[in-house]
Amino acid sequence: MTGPSLQTKKRLLFILVIFTIGVFVLIGKLAYLQIVQSDELQKMAFEQQNTSRTISPRRGTIYDRNGKELAISASVDTISVRPSEIKSSGKDLEQIAQRLAELLEMDKETVYAKITKNSSYEILKRKVEKETGDAIRSWVQEEKIKGINIDEDTKRYYPGRNLAAHIIGFTGADNQGLENGIEIVMEKYLKGVPGKILSEVDARQREIPFNTEKRIEAQDGLNVVLTIDETIQYIVQRELEKAIEDNKVMKGAVGIVMDPRNGEILALVSKPDFDLNAPYAAPPGYDPETWVGNTSEGVDILRKTVWRNRAVVDTYEPGSTFKAITTAAGLEENAITPETMVNDFPVEVGGWTMSCWRRGRPHGEETFREAVYNSCNPVFVKLAMNLGIDKFYGYMKAFGFYDKTGIDLLGEQTGIIHEKPTEVDMAAASFGQRFTITPIQLITAYTALANDGKLMKPRLVKELTDSEGNIVKKFEPEVIRTVISKETAETVREILEGVVSEGTGRNAYVKGYRVAGKTGTSQTTEEGVYTASFCSFAPADNPSICVLVALFDPKGDSHMGGAIAAPVAGKIIEDTLSYLGVERRYSEKDKEMMVEEVFVPDVRNKTINEAVKSLKEYDLEYKIEGEGNGESIVVEQTPKPDASIPKKSIVVLYTYKPEEEKMVTVPSVLNKTVSEATDTLKNAGLNIKISGSGSAYKQSVAPGEVVTAGKVIEVEFRELDNIE
């Protein structure tokens, strides 16, 4: 018997080699799976055997500086389904879709497509109110339907609606911050960490019987405490809205209140604005019925209109508000003193003639201090020429006009300043023309004037806190640089106080508070389009607030900053300082201008003689309606008891019970002086309440209206002469 042939041996050897290679390949593959891919395969196996649903974390609350809620997360539900489990439940899918559609206010076909889809998990609707979620939960339990999940979620809610809209920003469907506000700037702190609900499933993605869900709890986000004061924010918003209406402002407005000592923004308002709870709603001028809403076209329109934060995005020529900077540079370089004699006669630079804004009747010879009061352009041109291009633009850079301020908002812009300035450029720039800046840049520059020369970085975020209120992180004040000396800053403040008490800023004068500031009126590149502004700080000798008001394209009776922006700033200053508890210190001028008010005594059921005696004790005058003598009884009176009216006002005394009180027609007092307006109203049987000084600018009741005799008519007076 012979052994295997050579050919057979070769075949066996070949098979052995192939088998050996195959074994090694299998061993290699096994090793690869067990070692290299083990983590990935383990993860895939876990995902195949388990299904998970996300638990949204509670987004951190945004507070104002005093702990008032500006943005909160309300509890809502997310409704999701497991289609494979619903389909295998044996229930009528049409009925399930119909009921879910009714409860969720959705289209039945959309719901049906979701619950019959070939997938393991589908979201039906997010941000469902708790009442609806509870109704679905009750229905699912009653009908014993499997595969429908009702999971806790949160929805962003803004109690103030449009209050501080451009500061706060808003969130999207997934609770993520959008656009340029604090919601997106502080996203990493606010958002928190999502949790999960884990369930074991079979190969068909159906829950295994007696399965116990595992929860990985979400980690709530941190709270953000802003520097904003809700009350001051409301004051600024209220006054801007009134100014826009009164002055027919066409292109929006900006109002900022800042603490110059630490750079904290106490209020920042940009108009127009929007409701944070409905950020995609139609802006003014668009029909809500045809509005395109949350589309690329709609978002583009919203970004150009109501979402636009004009305080940090829009640039404009500051006009004469910039003269405070030129003044500071000149004083710091000893190029001038407050008492240096100057004149505002026209000056020629590079073929251009620079004249005072009060053309045809210049102020002539005056001290530099008076030139600032009167806002005389040629004086600042000559001062800039004395400084020279390098020094002048060096101060512009030092005051921060070349750089972004670094405020805690996205989208901040910088203006356009001459790269290679000529003397003509500098001459125009000396009084705030031919270059542009943002409102936030200007008020930041004024912090150096108010804070002894130290330029402060503007801040919107004060601190971060956890759910227990513990401070996690504080944001400290930051001095950018020292721009001018303390002595120069004090001198500038003293001069700018004179602008308000004696110069073009008189309409910002506030009794009891020393206000310093500078008016500004600048023309844009569009014919007839102006920006009226006023930048200020108070109290002038120890500033605790800076206030900027800018009105873009006013079309009312005036476009001058001193006439329409200064009184708005004055009202903001008065209400803010009063709210902050800053004590009033009345000067002799204040006391002369003050009209003391008294509460009307109750003289009903007294004799005429007794009533007159009582009214005289309150320094009030009277008028008798009806027949009788000194012993006749006063049956009725106007104004009613306890009404607050100025001294010397008239109280109408009735000796009979009038079926209707005596009515009078309100006369016009517009453009009259205080004494003329007072006499006009008194002669008509009416009383007056005075605010401001100068000529009557506005009255609370329109001329021609019929009111009860003795009614108090509020009249606002403004200085309209020598106002820039």
Side-chain angles (χ1 to χ4, degrees), residues 81-139:
V81 295
R82 297 189 296 277
S84 57
E85 191 160 346
I86 293 178
K87 286 186 284 187
S88 65
S89 66
K91 301 286 185 179
D92 188 322
L93 299 183
E94 290 280 351
Q95 288 186 2
I96 292 174
Q98 179 65 41
R99 185 57 179 152
L100 283 173
E102 291 173 357
L103 291 168
L104 295 173
E105 297 181 352
M106 294 176 64
D107 181 65
K108 178 188 172 184
E109 285 68 28
T110 302
V111 175
Y112 185 81
K114 290 267 190 181
I115 68 174
T116 58
K117 194 172 182 179
N118 186 26
S119 67
S120 60
Y121 178 76
E122 290 291 324
I123 292 178
L124 277 185
K125 194 172 184 179
R126 299 180 187 271
K127 314 301 179 189
V128 174
E129 297 300 329
K130 293 295 291 182
E131 294 78 6
T132 302
D134 290 341
I136 294 174
R137 187 178 289 106
S138 177
W139 168 66

Side-chain angles (χ1 to χ4, degrees), residues 113-172:
K114 290 267 190 181
I115 68 174
T116 58
K117 194 172 182 179
N118 186 26
S119 67
S120 60
Y121 178 76
E122 290 291 324
I123 292 178
L124 277 185
K125 194 172 184 179
R126 299 180 187 271
K127 314 301 179 189
V128 174
E129 297 300 329
K130 293 295 291 182
E131 294 78 6
T132 302
D134 290 341
I136 294 174
R137 187 178 289 106
S138 177
W139 168 66
V140 166
Q141 292 173 352
E142 184 179 331
E143 298 294 328
K144 297 180 180 178
I145 300 172
K146 293 185 177 181
I148 299 177
N149 307 311
I150 304 97
D151 296 321
E152 60 265 40
D153 198 352
T154 59
K155 177 183 179 181
R156 210 58 164 164
Y157 175 67
Y158 304 94
R161 301 183 64 183
N162 66 328
L163 190 75
H166 295 95
I167 297 171
I168 299 169
F170 54 93
T171 59

Side-chain angles (χ1 to χ4, degrees), residues 474-540:
K474 288 183 72 72
F475 295 83
E476 300 295 341
E478 183 180 336
V479 178
I480 299 173
R481 69 181 71 88
T482 298
V483 182
I484 53 177
S485 67
K486 179 181 178 181
E487 293 72 25
T488 296
E490 288 174 346
T491 303
V492 174
R493 292 200 296 270
E494 187 248 332
I495 292 174
L496 294 185
E497 183 179 3
V499 171
V500 175
S501 62
E502 301 179 42
T504 58
R506 295 193 301 280
N507 285 319
Y509 189 88
V510 178
K511 299 181 188 70
Y513 292 127
R514 296 172 61 180
V515 179
K518 189 69 193 73
T519 55
T521 307
S522 58
Q523 185 171 6
T524 68
T525 54
E526 297 179 58
E527 183 66 29
V529 177
Y530 294 86
T531 298
S533 60
F534 186 76
C535 201
S536 56
F537 40 80

Side-chain angles (χ1 to χ4, degrees), residues 335-398:
I336 206 160
T337 72
E339 308 311 323
T340 300
M341 292 304 299
V342 295
N343 68 69
D344 68 340
F345 301 138
V347 56
E348 285 196 13
V349 181
W352 291 83
T353 300
M354 311 284 181
S355 302
C356 184
W357 61 272
R358 201 171 75 164
R359 297 175 186 275
R361 49 192 185 102
H363 299 91
E365 297 288 336
E366 56 192 346
T367 64
F368 177 68
R369 177 195 304 278
E370 292 169 330
V372 180
Y373 295 173
N374 296 324
S375 200
C376 301
N377 293 347
V379 174
F380 294 91
V381 172
K382 296 168 189 174
L383 176 56
M385 298 290 287
N386 191 5
L387 289 171
I389 289 176
D390 290 343
K391 281 186 179 179
F392 179 83
Y393 283 93
Y395 275 97
M396 286 189 71
K397 187 171 184 62

Side-chain angles (χ1 to χ4, degrees), residues 396-690:
M396 286 189 71
K397 187 171 184 62
F399 274 99
F401 294 113
Y402 281 81
D403 308 309
K404 294 179 181 179
T405 64
I407 190 173
D408 305 311
L409 294 171
L410 300 182
E412 183 183 3
Q413 301 296 310
T414 56
I416 300 174
I417 300 178
H418 319 111
E419 291 184 6
K420 297 180 180 179
T422 63
E423 285 192 340
V424 173
D425 293 328
M426 180 180 65
S430 70
F431 52 87
Q433 304 284 357
R434 282 203 180 180
F435 70 95
T436 61
I437 57 174
T438 63
I440 193 64
Q441 281 182 308
L442 181 63
I443 195 169
T444 300
Y446 266 60
T447 64
L449 305 178
N451 192 35
D452 292 338
K454 294 186 283 293
L455 185 71
M456 302 301 296
K457 178 181 177 180
R459 296 192 302 134
L460 275 171
V461 180
K462 193 175 181 68
E463 59 196 23
L464 304 177
T465 63
D466 61 19
S467 58
E468 302 298 321
N470 301 308
I471 297 175
V472 176
K473 182 176 182 180
K474 288 183 72 72
F475 295 83
E476 300 295 341
E478 183 180 336
V479 178
I480 299 173
R481 69 181 71 88
T482 298
V483 182
I484 53 177
S485 67
K486 179 181 178 181
E487 293 72 25
T488 296
E490 288 174 346
T491 303
V492 174
R493 292 200 296 270
E494 187 248 332
I495 292 174
L496 294 185
E497 183 179 3
V499 171
V500 175
S501 62
E502 301 179 42
T504 58
R506 295 193 301 280
N507 285 319
Y509 189 88
V510 178
K511 299 181 188 70
Y513 292 127
R514 296 172 61 180
V515 179
K518 189 69 193 73
T519 55
T521 307
S522 58
Q523 185 171 6
T524 68
T525 54
E526 297 179 58
E527 183 66 29
V529 177
Y530 294 86
T531 298
S533 60
F534 186 76
C535 201
S536 56
F537 40 80
D541 56 334
N542 185 24
S544 58
I545 57 170
C546 285
V547 175
L548 169 64
V549 170
L551 307 176
F552 302 111
D553 193 18
K555 297 296 187 185
D557 295 333
S558 175
H559 61 260
M560 307 297 280
I564 64 175
V568 180
K571 182 61 176 173
I572 291 171
I573 290 170
E574 180 173 22
D575 289 357
T576 298
L577 291 181
S578 179
Y579 162 72
L580 293 174
V582 177
E583 185 179 357
R584 292 182 189 249
R585 295 172 292 166
Y586 293 104
S587 65
E588 289 303 315
K589 179 181 178 181
D590 291 335
K591 293 173 184 176
E592 291 173 6
M593 294 175 61
M594 285 173 63
V595 177
E596 189 177 349
E597 293 194 353
V598 294
F599 290 103
V600 178
D602 188 349
V603 296
R604 293 171 299 185
N605 300 318
K606 292 184 177 182
T607 66
I608 292 290
N609 290 338
E610 291 171 338
V612 169
K613 182 180 179 182
S614 180
L615 291 175
K616 285 183 176 180
E617 289 175 356
Y618 285 83
D619 203 3
L620 293 171
E621 299 178 7
Y622 65 94
K623 183 177 182 181
I624 299 172
E625 288 289 333
E627 298 179 355
N629 52 40
E631 296 303 316
S632 299
I633 301 298
V634 176
V635 178
E636 192 54 83
Q637 68 178 83
T638 302
K640 295 293 187 287
D642 295 329
S644 177
I645 60 176
K647 284 185 175 181
K648 306 295 184 185
S649 294
I650 297 172
V651 177
V652 181
L653 306 177
Y654 293 88
T655 59
Y656 63 96
K657 185 68 175 178
E659 292 182 7
E660 292 184 359
E661 293 180 299
K662 183 179 179 181
M663 308 299 287
V664 297
T665 301
V666 177
S668 173
V669 297
L670 299 179
N671 300 317
K672 294 181 182 295
T673 64
V674 172
S675 60
E676 290 171 342
T678 301
D679 290 343
T680 300
L681 289 173
K682 270 194 175 184
N683 291 337
L686 297 166
N687 293 310
I688 186 171
K689 184 173 183 179
I690 299 165

Side-chain angles (χ1 to χ4, degrees), residues 198-231:
L198 303 174
S199 303
E200 293 184 32
V201 295
D202 61 18
R204 294 185 179 180
Q205 295 295 299
R206 296 175 301 189
E207 280 196 10
I208 296 173
F210 311 111
N211 160 62
T212 302
E213 289 185 336
K214 297 178 182 177
R215 292 176 63 92
I216 301 174
E217 296 295 342
Q219 297 177 29
D220 293 343
L222 294 174
N223 305 316
V224 174
V225 180
L226 300 181
T227 62
I228 293 297
D229 187 301
E230 183 188 53
T231 300

